[in-house]
Amino acid sequence: MRMRRIAWAADYLTQSPSRILNPEEKIGRWKKERPDGKLHLEIGCGKGGYSAAMAKLYAKDTFAAVEKNESAAGLAAKKFDETGLENLALIYGDGADLEKWFKPGEVDIIHLNFSDPWPKKRNAKRRLTAPAFLKQYHTLLCKNGQIIMKTDNPSLFEYSILAFLEAGYAMEEISVDFRREDHPEDPLTEYEQKFVEQGKPIYRSVWNNYKK
Ligand SMILES: C[S@@+](CC[C@H](N)C(=O)[O-])C[C@H]1O[C@@H](n2cnc3c(N)ncnc32)[C@H](O)[C@@H]1O
């Protein structure tokens, strides 16, 4: 699904308090204000609803959300600013660059919500669960850190399960209809809301970085 261009997004991103202009300057210091909480990283946050809701729900934790599409990042920045929450930050950038912004072992939980499936084989390396991404996450996650993935796409889910296993992660949880039961601990993302309304099942898996 192509995102509609938001004309004000570029300007908004230059002055949004939630947007971290130079994320490389925060390397190793993301948890400075909340050292006892966890650092969550959402990659491909879209309009930002999930991280915003999570940051409200888990006030002791810190949330960093990465989005590479300018219009989506602008909408997410605006949403984050409107919450007034201080444990929530936006990085307008590419998830391929995480190692510039986060120190090895600094991240506790990575969220991959409804990542683009990139169905054609020639685009497989763009999937956020492609081997190069999983290797990068392994470095950034702490020991026993987790990756939590949700998707509506069975092909991406199948591909990702094999990729996680191949990369040495251990499966902790799996569901092929996550929203069959209520999960008040896990807010719905914008995409997820649409899929649930259409009656589509939500696939979810949780992976542990135990080998570190
Ligand atoms: C299908 S949307 C899902 C948005 C949101 N997570 C949700 O569930 O509502 C996928 C989002 O991931 C972003 N994205 C894809 N690859 C990315 C990357 N390498 N780095 C940062 N964002 C990425 C896209 O721009 C898009 O906004």
Side-chain angles (χ1 to χ4, degrees):
M1 225 182 296
R2 253 189 116 73
M3 171 99 205
R4 185 171 55 94
R5 189 176 168 270
I6 308 287
W8 49 263
D11 277 349
Y12 192 85
L13 284 166
T14 60
Q15 49 82 41
S16 160
S18 302
R19 187 215 166 166
I20 307 294
L21 265 179
N22 300 305
E24 58 284 349
E25 289 174 4
K26 284 191 67 105
I27 194 162
R29 301 170 53 241
W30 287 92
K31 289 198 335 190
K32 204 167 150 243
E33 276 87 32
R34 280 163 292 277
D36 299 329
K38 293 188 169 173
L39 174 62
H40 299 245
L41 173 58
E42 184 185 8
I43 308 166
C45 70
K47 298 176 188 170
Y50 183 75
S51 280
M54 287 287 282
K56 192 169 176 206
L57 208 53
Y58 302 97
K60 290 184 182 150
D61 291 354
T62 301
F63 291 81
V66 180
E67 175 53 56
K68 73 171 183 181
N69 176 282
E70 184 180 77
S71 296
L75 289 168
K78 190 157 180 290
K79 185 164 287 158
F80 289 5
D81 293 341
E82 284 164 0
T83 67
L85 293 169
E86 291 183 354
N87 60 337
L88 180 58
L90 177 83
I91 300 175
Y92 169 40
D94 195 314
D97 292 330
L98 297 176
E99 278 170 284
K100 296 181 190 162
W101 313 321
F102 299 92
K103 207 176 89 174
E106 188 172 13
V107 180
D108 296 279
I109 304 178
I110 291 177
H111 301 271
L112 301 174
N113 288 319
F114 303 87
S115 306
D116 296 320
W118 294 108
K120 292 196 176 124
K121 212 173 173 184
R122 68 167 186 273
N123 289 323
K125 62 177 183 305
R126 295 174 187 241
R127 296 175 192 150
L128 291 179
T129 48
F133 279 104
L134 296 189
K135 196 168 165 230
Q136 186 186 215
Y137 307 152
H138 175 71
T139 304
L140 299 181
L141 282 168
C142 62
K143 187 168 197 281
N144 286 318
Q146 291 174 314
I147 302 177
I148 307 178
M149 174 198 186
K150 290 191 283 183
T151 182
D152 64 306
N153 187 306
S155 302
L156 181 68
F157 196 58
E158 197 177 299
Y159 166 88
S160 303
I161 287 173
L162 295 175
F164 278 118
L165 292 172
E166 183 67 24
Y169 291 86
M171 187 191 283
E172 284 188 343
E173 289 175 41
I174 187 160
S175 171
V176 293
D177 194 1
F178 181 61
R179 295 293 173 188
R180 188 173 40 206
E181 282 119 36
D182 286 342
H183 287 284
E185 80 290 356
D186 185 67
L188 278 86
T189 79
E190 282 89 352
Y191 270 68
E192 189 170 14
Q193 181 72 46
K194 283 192 208 154
F195 296 136
V196 167
E197 281 165 13
Q198 291 165 7
K200 279 185 150 191
I202 303 301
Y203 299 83
R204 179 180 181 270
S205 58
V206 180
W207 299 86
N208 189 304
N209 199 33
Y210 78 107
K211 268 196 176 163
K212 197 149 184 163

